[in-house]
Amino acid sequence: QASSPCSAQLAKDVSQQIQGDQVFHFRRTNTLLLILDRLDDPVTPLLSQWTYQAMVHELLGLNNNRVILRGAPNVAKDL
């Protein structure tokens, strides 16, 4: 993608390496190497939870609508 300089540079470097190396010339078929930049990732926000209750349940855990702090960092043992 033209808006991603990192992906463009990586694609250029890989293309030069493949063209300069004799290992990749044994196949003459059309191949495609797809390079994706995760900065332009529209799907990842849709995979995460959207409510605070769902995020707490995913990250900490809930049992009968009570937060489970067992194993959470920087939390006293008696909680």
Side-chain angles (χ1 to χ4, degrees):
Q1 184 175 354
S3 66
S4 176
C6 292
S7 294
Q9 183 63 39
L10 179 63
K12 182 180 174 184
D13 292 344
V14 169
S15 177
Q16 288 175 352
Q17 184 69 28
I18 289 174
Q19 290 174 0
D21 194 351
Q22 295 299 320
V23 174
F24 296 102
H25 292 289
F26 65 95
R27 292 185 181 175
R28 295 290 181 188
T29 61
N30 291 334
T31 57
L32 173 69
L33 174 62
L34 183 61
I35 299 173
L36 300 174
D37 188 355
R38 292 298 303 257
L39 293 176
D40 300 324
D41 187 6
V43 176
T44 300
L46 299 175
L47 299 176
S48 62
Q49 303 297 330
W50 288 29
T51 64
Y52 287 115
Q53 181 180 8
M55 283 190 279
V56 167
H57 181 61
E58 182 180 340
L59 298 174
L60 297 174
L62 289 176
N63 188 5
N64 292 329
N65 287 326
R66 294 182 181 170
V67 178
I68 302 169
L69 295 177
R70 198 174 317 119
N74 300 324
V75 175
K77 298 264 184 204
D78 57 346
L79 292 178

